[in-house]
Amino acid sequence: MSAVLRPGPEFEPMRESDLRAVLEIEDSIYEFPWTLGNFRDSLRAGYACWVIREGRRVIGYAVLMLAAGEAHLLNLSVAVHSQRRGLGRSLLHNVVGVAREHKAKILFLEVRPTNEVGQRLYSAYGFRQIGVRRGYYPAHKGREDALVLALDL
Ligand SMILES: CC(C)(COP(=O)(O)OP(=O)(O)OC[C@H]1O[C@@H](n2cnc3c(N)ncnc32)[C@H](O)[C@@H]1OP(=O)(O)O)[C@@H](O)C(=O)NCCC(=O)NCCS
């Protein structure tokens, strides 16, 4: 019997050709997903957009906006069937590395107060809450606030 070697997940820059797979994941995990246009604009604006690929399949992605001295994590997502395997943390780690390479001193992100999984991931990583943005997210009834988190790099 021979062992089958499967390559581990790889982090790669997102390409336009990944967008269909990215959007499929996005639509399946968020009630208020980003649109194709949001991802396209992010790529064209030169944001740092990364995917995690397993074989040829995209199983996660992140979008990071880099500005002078700071970075803003706009999207961090892992496909449902690939969650709880440490990929979200690895993706976050990768993004933190990219931000550091660009000499960012601080990384910001927003998270819904109802997103306990996201909050657990970020606080375990060392993010601290620095504020609240009122009515930041769309919700079924009105809008939902965002917790603003930051990590010193
Ligand atoms: C948040 C998300 C990216 C985490 O990705 P993941 O690959 O499942 O996470 P990991 O396996 O790396 O887990 C990292 C930590 O997150 C937390 N976590 C992840 N899934 C969890 C769950 N179902 N319940 C509780 N905590 C969870 C835990 O603290 C975990 O650490 P532990 O395994 O040592 O307990 C993923 O759940 C996701 O895409 N969710 C939907 C989109 C989203 O909410 N994105 C964040 C928006 S700000």
Side-chain angles (χ1 to χ4, degrees), residues 19 23 34-44:
L19 289 183
L23 209 69
W34 276 25
T35 62
L36 183 59
N38 295 142
F39 286 104
R40 259 201 196 125
D41 289 349
S42 298
L43 279 175
R44 291 176 187 174

Side-chain angles (χ1 to χ4, degrees), residues 30 76-78 83-86 88-89 115 117 120 122:
Y30 292 105
L76 181 93
S77 305
V78 173
Q83 290 180 1
R84 290 251 71 171
R85 287 170 44 194
R89 190 186 294 111
N115 185 349
V117 171
R120 209 172 286 188
Y122 298 130

Side-chain angles (χ1 to χ4, degrees), residues 81-148:
H81 59 81
S82 298
Q83 290 180 1
R84 290 251 71 171
R85 287 170 44 194
L87 294 173
R89 190 186 294 111
S90 303
L91 191 53
L92 183 58
H93 193 63
N94 197 60
V95 157
V96 165
V98 171
R100 284 200 176 112
E101 270 172 31
H102 283 81
K103 313 269 183 266
K105 298 275 176 275
I106 188 160
L107 174 59
F108 297 105
L109 62 82
E110 282 83 22
V111 62
R112 287 183 190 259
T114 47
N115 185 349
E116 285 176 22
V117 171
Q119 284 181 59
R120 209 172 286 188
L121 166 64
Y122 298 130
S123 72
Y125 202 89
F127 282 81
R128 66 198 151 84
Q129 188 183 330
I130 56 160
V132 174
R133 280 193 218 286
R134 297 277 167 219
Y136 183 79
Y137 289 113
H140 287 298
K141 277 192 186 167
R143 314 267 310 169
E144 185 177 358
D145 295 343
L147 307 181
V148 184

